[in-house]
Amino acid sequence: MTDEAGRRHRELSEQIEGASDAYYRDGTSPLADAEYDGLLAQLRELEEQFPELVTPDSPTQRVMGRASGDLASYDHLQRMESLDNAMDHEELAAWADRIVRDTGALPALLCELKVDGLAINLLYRDGVLERALTRGDGTTGEDVTPNVRHIASIPAELTGTDEFPVPALVEIRGEVYMPTAEFESLLEEQRAQGDKEFANARNTAAGSLRLKLDGVSVTADKRAAAVRRLGRLTMVCHGIGARDGFEPAAQSHAYAALAAWGLPVAPTVKVVEGLPAVQEFIDYFGEHRHDAGVLDHEIDGVVVKVDDVALQRRLGSTSRAPRWAIAFKYPPEEVHTLLKAIAVNTGRTGRVTPFGVMEPTKVAGSTVEMATLHNFHEVARKDVRPGDTVILRKAGDVIPEILGPVLALRPEGLPEWVPPTTCPACDTALVEQKAGDKDRRCPNHRDCRAQVVERINHVAGRGAFDIEGLGYEAAIALHQAGVVANEGDVFDLTEESLGRVPLFTRAPKKGEEGPQLGANALKLLANLEASKQAALWRVLVGLSIRHCGPSASRALATRFGSMEAIRAATLEELADTEGVGAVIGEAVIEWFDVDWHVEIVEKWAAAGVRMEDERDESVERTLEGLTVVVTGGLQGFTRDSVKEAIITRGGKAAGSVSKKTDYVVVGENAGSKAAKAEELGLTILDEEAFVRLLAGGPASLDG
């Protein structure tokens, strides 16, 4: 394996994890659906070329998403899997061929629409709704039960029939969404009241479902508005998880039971014979997906499932998805629109990104006015010019992208776009990070207003300190008021300093003199104080070290335990950390070589931010010098906790199997690493033996 392959694998994984985290937490994402799928496909191809890159926590091996700290979280009784995608008819046919190869014939297939909503898991015990969880990472989800009780289509208690009596226990899987008509009505209300409009129906549904209704920041008015939005939501069922007292013979049989119990099932579900009938179903809804009267919601594809449950069990699942189902994704929609201008903005790392400003255009069910152009190189390659009629694609129904100009419609003599040579925020001359770099960056990292504001906002992000009340608007206000020069000042904020920021003050009431500190200021100060106890990996993420995202930060924090130890580590020690490598190791060393970067760390430490994790000194180093690979799922460990268990005992949690591997732990749905371990004659352990190894070291396995 080359260093370049390892670097690319980390880069792709970080992009996918970041987009997934945003998507499942907030209903938003920096990547379009199609872009996300494309990155995942690239990652799979890379892992096929270099199998040693495949690890249990690779995005190709697990269900993406995770529960946040805002809501209580619980484990699903049965894991919620993701779905593999077919991006075209050939991939769908290849999936069908695998079914035939494994079962001897193509069985009856159930077709259903892939609703663009938020996955939900409802647990009913003796017919009564006990808990509603988001999908999270497939194993653990967020508790949104209070919010779900406001959705009329989700019954608090199941009904039963003679044919389908209510089971003692059942998990119902489905999708919560806001119907198109309800979303348009909501937008009309927002326009009439002069409120900011929601971006799209999915974001609105996800945000409403995940809002903590009893949160300290939720006012009575805000709660009432949220409850009204929840009343606009509905649900459609698409599966069953754990159950006791009901065993369906087929997926369609399960749906009949769901309907009998009073749960919403899509009327469009259809069981068909043969791939041509599947294709007919896909083509029909692809053509009529936006027709009034056909559907009441947005879709981004069709899910095809083997109907027979016994065959589903026989086909089984990979580490993240069932082999008996696949999601056919519709191609991104495209329209023509007028490109009025090309503007640029400067991001957190100094990267200057061009974007198109267009005539408002309806595409994929929403109005678009801006679209990405990625970088200066792409603008030149596509030869896009202000005044052009351009092809706009809203890839995956989420993020708009300009594909290129319609040359036949280009006005005669239309000049090429000339990219800026200086930063739009601070007027510093733009540079290449390295020779041949497609990006242009502002090197004024310390003082560039745009970069500073983005970094302050990043400190408060969910991937870093997760500070409620310190968003982008607050970051701008704090910087403009001169209260925060850069992110180093964030934890030094006081009532006195916030009193100089209009955003954090209110008009005086009768008897008061001058502006008064607002409730948002007091809440922010309380949240900042609580955030000082954040785990070390969150502090690392908050520093905006290039390439050092949550995964690498967790690895560094777990191995070294303190900021001081990380700063003192050599490049070899950093690069040798599992999940870090040379590129990130070099970035860490380069970051700490900059004086004003170190000042940020020192300011945070002086303000009381914790710079080391508490370690349990009672844990014996039973795995000192040993390399352990874990493949497949373990009942008693999460992906993160199994790594931590190995590392804190002195072992190395490796991601690939080699002759240097001492033990390979094999869990459920283990992949090719188990076979490779057998081939190399390595010691293979089940979970019970692994627990003994952790407790007593190699000697505990004797006999």
Side-chain angles (χ1 to χ4, degrees), residues 210-333:
R210 296 184 62 259
L211 179 65
K212 194 171 182 179
L213 294 178
D214 59 350
V216 293
S217 65
V218 181
T219 64
D221 288 346
K222 190 174 182 181
R223 186 184 191 280
V227 169
R228 287 195 298 272
R229 289 200 302 274
L230 287 167
R232 296 177 183 268
L233 302 182
T234 188
M235 175 200 175
V236 62
C237 298
H238 56 55
I240 293 179
R243 59 261 192 185
D244 179 13
F246 174 68
E247 195 54 49
Q251 192 81 14
S252 52
H253 176 221
Y255 288 1
L258 293 173
W261 297 335
L263 289 154
V265 178
T268 50
V269 172
K270 187 176 183 180
V271 178
V272 301
E273 298 285 345
L275 212 53
V278 172
Q279 195 60 60
E280 182 179 346
F281 185 95
I282 290 170
D283 292 343
Y284 175 82
F285 286 103
E287 181 181 352
H288 299 287
R289 58 193 291 195
H290 297 306
D291 290 4
V294 176
L295 297 176
D296 71 343
H297 52 74
E298 292 293 327
I299 61 172
D300 57 9
V302 168
V303 178
V304 185
K305 301 175 179 178
V306 169
D307 192 37
D308 189 299
V309 170
L311 284 180
Q312 290 180 4
R313 291 199 191 95
R314 177 176 166 185
L315 290 164
S317 301
T318 66
S319 61
R320 62 179 293 277
R323 294 188 176 92
W324 47 266
I326 197 163
F328 180 91
K329 301 295 285 288
Y330 286 122
E333 296 187 345

Side-chain angles (χ1 to χ4, degrees), residues 110 112-113 115 120 122 124 153-155 158 171-177 234-240 251 254-259 261-269 305:
L110 180 142
E112 59 188 1
L113 300 176
V115 179
I120 196 80
L122 307 174
Y124 286 89
S153 59
I154 298 179
L158 302 181
E171 282 183 310
I172 309 297
R173 274 77 191 270
E175 207 79 3
V176 171
Y177 65 95
T234 188
M235 175 200 175
V236 62
C237 298
H238 56 55
I240 293 179
Q251 192 81 14
Y255 288 1
L258 293 173
W261 297 335
L263 289 154
V265 178
T268 50
V269 172
K305 301 175 179 178

Side-chain angles (χ1 to χ4, degrees), residues 512-567:
E512 296 177 337
E513 293 184 7
Q516 301 292 307
L517 208 61
N520 59 341
L522 299 176
K523 183 176 184 300
L524 174 58
L525 292 173
N527 291 340
L528 285 168
E529 191 61 33
S531 297
K532 293 177 182 179
Q533 298 304 309
L536 179 61
W537 72 267
R538 289 186 175 275
V539 181
L540 282 171
V541 173
L543 292 175
S544 290
I545 300 172
R546 199 171 180 209
H547 305 303
C548 196
S551 296
S553 295
R554 283 179 184 273
L556 290 169
T558 301
R559 176 171 180 183
F560 295 99
S562 72
M563 190 69 71
E564 183 180 358
I566 293 170
R567 289 180 61 181

Side-chain angles (χ1 to χ4, degrees), residues 215-501:
V216 293
S217 65
V218 181
T219 64
D221 288 346
K222 190 174 182 181
R223 186 184 191 280
V227 169
R228 287 195 298 272
R229 289 200 302 274
L230 287 167
R232 296 177 183 268
L233 302 182
T234 188
M235 175 200 175
V236 62
C237 298
H238 56 55
I240 293 179
R243 59 261 192 185
D244 179 13
F246 174 68
E247 195 54 49
Q251 192 81 14
S252 52
H253 176 221
Y255 288 1
L258 293 173
W261 297 335
L263 289 154
V265 178
T268 50
V269 172
K270 187 176 183 180
V271 178
V272 301
E273 298 285 345
L275 212 53
V278 172
Q279 195 60 60
E280 182 179 346
F281 185 95
I282 290 170
D283 292 343
Y284 175 82
F285 286 103
E287 181 181 352
H288 299 287
R289 58 193 291 195
H290 297 306
D291 290 4
V294 176
L295 297 176
D296 71 343
H297 52 74
E298 292 293 327
I299 61 172
D300 57 9
V302 168
V303 178
V304 185
K305 301 175 179 178
V306 169
D307 192 37
D308 189 299
V309 170
L311 284 180
Q312 290 180 4
R313 291 199 191 95
R314 177 176 166 185
L315 290 164
S317 301
T318 66
S319 61
R320 62 179 293 277
R323 294 188 176 92
W324 47 266
I326 197 163
F328 180 91
K329 301 295 285 288
Y330 286 122
E333 296 187 345
E334 298 176 4
V335 297
H336 289 181
T337 187
L338 176 66
L339 178 65
K340 296 163 61 177
I342 296 177
V344 297
N345 60 21
T346 304
R348 176 167 57 96
T349 63
R351 181 186 178 198
V352 177
T353 305
F355 61 93
V357 180
M358 302 160 300
E359 288 284 356
T361 305
K362 192 86 168 181
V363 55
S366 61
T367 300
V368 172
E369 296 184 58
M370 292 184 290
T372 183
L373 283 162
H374 300 294
N375 53 55
F376 295 170
H377 171 82
E378 279 295 287
V379 178
R381 184 184 70 80
K382 294 176 178 178
D383 188 23
V384 178
R385 309 178 186 186
D388 267 330
T389 296
V390 295
I391 304 167
L392 178 69
R393 175 177 67 180
K394 200 171 182 199
D397 292 353
V398 183
I399 304 295
E401 176 188 11
I402 294 172
L403 297 182
V406 182
L407 292 176
L409 300 177
R410 172 173 286 172
E412 187 175 347
L414 192 67
E416 294 182 9
W417 179 68
V418 179
T421 57
T422 60
C423 173
C426 68
D427 208 32
T428 301
L430 302 180
V431 298
E432 294 180 350
Q433 187 78 20
K434 58 184 178 181
D437 197 346
K438 293 179 179 179
D439 290 323
R440 295 293 183 274
R441 296 180 185 272
C442 171
N444 183 20
H445 300 303
R446 180 173 187 167
D447 300 314
C448 175
R449 175 184 55 80
Q451 293 183 63
V452 172
V453 168
E454 289 284 359
R455 291 200 306 272
I456 295 169
N457 182 50
H458 174 73
V459 167
R462 285 196 171 95
F465 284 92
D466 195 11
I467 305 168
E468 188 176 350
L470 182 60
Y472 190 72
E473 183 182 1
I476 293 173
L478 291 167
H479 189 258
Q480 284 182 342
V483 169
V484 172
N486 63 28
E487 62 270 40
D489 300 327
V490 165
F491 292 98
D492 288 325
L493 289 170
T494 63
E495 290 187 16
E496 188 276 329
S497 61
L498 287 179
R500 302 199 302 270
V501 185

Side-chain angles (χ1 to χ4, degrees), residues 622-643:
T622 52
L623 304 184
E624 193 72 58
L626 299 176
T627 299
V628 181
V629 173
V630 178
T631 177
L634 302 181
Q635 294 293 323
F637 299 86
T638 64
R639 186 176 62 257
D640 290 336
S641 70
V642 74
K643 278 188 175 183

Side-chain angles (χ1 to χ4, degrees), residues 33-165:
D33 235 4
E35 289 175 313
Y36 180 92
D37 293 336
L39 292 179
L40 203 55
Q42 290 180 47
L43 194 65
R44 287 198 184 97
E45 291 174 4
L46 192 63
E47 290 180 349
E48 287 174 5
Q49 187 177 358
F50 302 100
E52 61 269 33
L53 290 173
V54 182
T55 65
D57 60 350
S58 169
T60 64
Q61 304 298 305
R62 59 189 174 92
V63 176
M64 299 304 293
R66 66 186 66 172
S68 79
D70 295 335
L71 300 167
S73 58
Y74 298 90
D75 287 348
H76 304 297
L77 301 185
Q78 182 176 307
R79 186 166 64 104
M80 290 185 74
E81 297 174 312
S82 185
L83 288 172
D84 286 331
N85 294 329
M87 306 308 295
D88 53 39
H89 304 311
E90 288 73 22
E91 290 184 3
L92 179 63
W95 171 79
D97 288 342
R98 288 193 294 272
I99 299 295
V100 172
R101 185 174 64 246
D102 292 340
T103 64
L106 188 63
L109 300 172
L110 180 142
C111 299
E112 59 188 1
L113 300 176
K114 189 172 184 296
V115 179
D116 191 17
L118 189 74
I120 196 80
N121 184 34
L122 307 174
L123 173 61
Y124 286 89
R125 202 181 297 272
D126 295 324
V128 178
L129 179 61
E130 178 173 300
R131 184 175 294 148
L133 302 177
T134 63
R135 181 169 66 172
D137 64 359
T139 299
T140 304
E142 297 168 303
D143 187 357
V144 292
T145 311
N147 300 37
V148 159
R149 295 192 187 280
H150 293 286
I151 301 175
S153 59
I154 298 179
E157 189 169 351
L158 302 181
T159 57
T161 65
D162 290 339
E163 183 180 3
F164 297 110

